[in-house]
């Protein structure tokens, strides 16, 4: 719960939005009608009405039940996917399961993504498969995301600081749960090209790149540490608030990995979403703004998504893209720091 309050307060990265480095090229002759733009995609084995995931954020406390209901209603109405927050709380206290399973009640037809941290998977050892299956069954999920949150854990006062064996644990999870899609999901620091290669090799069905540019877990944990007077971790949280690979960079490089990519981290508008899709993402993930809208009003998330999808449709129209596949071929210009990141990463990887 505390995380939610800090995330809704000012726990965003400080630098300007990295999406301003990406320009889509205007098409004065789109040769299609706005209403003919088709937002649908096939992803995670299902057909979605739009290439969007409401990112996994909440569950595990009384207020979360209503928020998950509101988010799930929005997902159902707009035909987009939705994740729940880490289900660790309900594995430890089964009476909390309803705060997650409410999502399936409110969204009977859309793609739902279960969620557990790599830390729990590692600690569970041979019991990991049972735990992951319990998360999936709890919400009747179509896929499960294992979140990678080293940046958060290293700042967190009660953090888990041992990620040794993580790649092998993910590979074992993918094998055990096959054919259920297992998604590796960063949470704000991005996936470097070498990490993408290891995750693809480990059998991940999709990658949520969770890059830098939006919600900052270092900032959230730093603020929590400050509140309990842990000055060392509060300072580390401040220092690392902008740590990581910017979302457009990690999206463009991960898209070469050969598995579907979810671009998340600072996607704030439908124009940002169009840019992410043009860089090769299959879907975009949105977190803080849709949660904020859900907190403010029972129908806030539904309305927020309506605006977001209209912006995406308008941007696709202005690039002459009749669908997401066409948008991925649309011309784009990459400027500034993003260009430098891409050039230097490419040089370093010898790609
Ligand atoms: C309040 C809050 C709680 C979150 N909890 C989780 C979580 O439990 N598991 C997870 O994988 N990601 C979690 N995330 C990260 C989101 O899934 C997503 O990666 C991120 O919010 C996307 O960036 P954005 O907020 O800038 O749109 C959380 C994000 C927020 C804002």
């Amino acid at each position: 719960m505390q995380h939610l309050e800090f995330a809704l307060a000012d726990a965003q990265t400080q630098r300007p939005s990295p999406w301003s480095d990406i320009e889509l090229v205007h098409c004065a002759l789109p040769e299609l009608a706005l209403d003919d733009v088709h937002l649908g995609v096939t992803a995670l084995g299902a057909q979605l009405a739009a290439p969007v995931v409401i990112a996994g954020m909440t569950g595990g406390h009384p207020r979360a039940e209503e928020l998950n209901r509101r988010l799930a209603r929005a997902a159902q109405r707009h035909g987009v996917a939705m994740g729940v927050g880490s289900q660790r709380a309900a594995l430890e206290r089964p009476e909390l399961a309803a705060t997650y399973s409410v999502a399936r009640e409110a969204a009977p037809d859309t793609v739902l993504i279960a969620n557990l941290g790599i830390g729990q998977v590692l600690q569970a050892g041979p019991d990991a498969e049972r735990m992951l299956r319990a998360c999936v069954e709890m919400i009747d999920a179509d896929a499960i995301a294992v979140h990678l949150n080293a940046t958060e854990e290293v700042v967190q006062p009660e953090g888990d600081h041992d990620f040794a064996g993580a790649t092998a644990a993910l590979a074992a999870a993918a094998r055990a749960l096959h054919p259920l899609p297992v998604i590796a999901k960063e949470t704000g620091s991005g996936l470097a090209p070498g990490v993408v290669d290891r995750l693809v090799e480990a059998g991940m069905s999709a990658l949520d790149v969770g890059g830098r540019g939006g919600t900052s877990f270092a900032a959230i944990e730093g603020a929590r540490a400050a509140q309990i007077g842990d000055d060392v971790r509060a300072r580390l949280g401040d220092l690392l608030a902008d740590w990581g690979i910017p979302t457009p960079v990690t999206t463009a490089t991960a898209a070469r990995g050969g598995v579907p990519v979810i671009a998340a981290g600072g996607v704030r508008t439908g124009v940002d979403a169009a840019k992410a899709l043009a860089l090769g993402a299959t879907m975009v993930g949105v977190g803080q703004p849709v949660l904020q809208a859900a907190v403010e009003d029972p129908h806030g998330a539904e309305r927020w998504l309506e605006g977001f999808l209209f912006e995406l449709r308008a941007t696709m129209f202005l690039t002459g893209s009749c669908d997401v596949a066409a948008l991925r071929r649309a011309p784009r210009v990459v400027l500034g720091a993003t260009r430098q990141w891409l050039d230097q990463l490419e040089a370093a990887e010898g790609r």
Side-chain angles (χ1 to χ4, degrees):
M1 196 62 224
Q2 227 185 358
H3 281 103
L4 193 142
E5 268 139 25
F6 282 114
L8 294 176
D10 203 17
Q12 303 288 297
T13 50
Q14 299 303 310
R15 297 189 218 191
S17 165
W19 298 108
S20 58
D21 277 348
I22 315 295
E23 301 272 9
L24 297 175
V25 179
H26 174 64
C27 174
L29 292 171
E31 298 294 351
L32 77 164
L34 181 62
D35 284 347
D36 293 339
V37 172
H38 178 64
L39 298 183
V41 282
T42 303
L44 302 170
Q47 185 65 34
L48 292 171
V52 176
V53 185
I54 297 177
M57 289 179 283
T58 194
H61 48 83
R63 198 169 154 218
E65 183 164 342
E66 178 56 20
L67 289 175
N68 269 339
R69 181 179 294 112
R70 292 178 186 185
L71 293 170
R73 264 201 225 119
Q76 173 77 14
R77 175 170 156 214
H78 292 291
V80 303
M82 172 182 162
V84 295
S86 171
Q87 291 166 264
R88 177 187 186 172
L91 292 179
E92 289 167 1
R93 292 175 54 200
E95 71 274 17
L96 296 174
T99 66
Y100 299 89
S101 59
V102 65
R104 182 48 92 201
E105 285 158 31
D109 302 315
T110 200
V111 168
L112 282 188
I113 306 172
N115 190 296
L116 198 63
I118 186 67
Q120 284 73 64
V121 173
L122 281 166
Q123 277 161 21
D127 200 29
E129 179 183 345
R130 187 196 59 78
M131 281 172 56
L132 291 163
R133 283 194 193 283
C135 294
V136 170
E137 278 161 24
M138 194 185 301
I139 63 164
D140 186 18
D142 304 280
I144 184 158
V146 178
H147 68 256
L148 311 176
N149 62 339
T151 312
E152 176 181 22
E153 299 285 355
V154 81
V155 179
Q156 200 171 45
E158 66 279 17
D160 175 358
H161 300 157
D162 187 356
F163 275 50
T167 313
L170 286 168
R175 274 195 307 274
L177 298 186
H178 183 81
L180 189 93
V182 177
I183 304 167
K185 177 179 184 301
E186 238 297 341
T187 48
S189 299
L191 299 172
V195 173
V196 166
D197 292 345
R198 277 154 54 196
L199 291 170
V200 172
E201 180 86 356
M204 298 296 101
S205 298
L207 304 177
D208 180 331
V209 295
R212 177 184 96 199
T215 298
S216 165
F217 274 97
I220 293 173
E221 294 302 342
R224 286 181 67 215
Q227 204 175 54
I228 58 168
D230 184 339
D231 295 341
V232 172
R233 288 196 170 75
R235 182 173 150 74
L236 187 64
D238 262 2
L239 283 172
L240 297 181
D242 274 2
W243 175 264
I245 307 164
T247 304
V249 174
T250 181
T251 299
T253 53
R256 296 183 204 136
V259 299
V261 163
I262 302 168
V267 175
R268 295 290 171 263
T269 68
V271 180
D272 295 344
K275 292 175 178 180
L277 296 165
L279 290 174
T282 297
M283 287 191 280
V284 298
V286 284
Q288 195 268 355
V290 70
L291 182 64
Q292 179 77 50
V295 166
E296 284 168 8
D297 183 292
H299 298 285
E302 285 172 59
R303 276 201 298 274
W304 188 89
L305 265 178
E306 192 173 328
F308 183 90
L309 295 178
F310 181 59
E311 292 157 10
L312 173 58
R313 180 183 294 279
T315 314
M316 289 173 69
F317 174 68
L318 292 176
T319 58
S321 308
C322 61
D323 57 19
V324 172
L327 179 60
R328 292 172 79 176
R329 294 189 301 271
R332 56 181 199 262
V333 177
V334 179
L335 305 168
T338 305
R339 178 76 272 157
Q340 290 178 14
W341 263 97
L342 289 171
D343 288 348
Q344 293 186 33
L345 276 181
E346 234 160 72
E349 297 288 318
R351 289 171 184 232

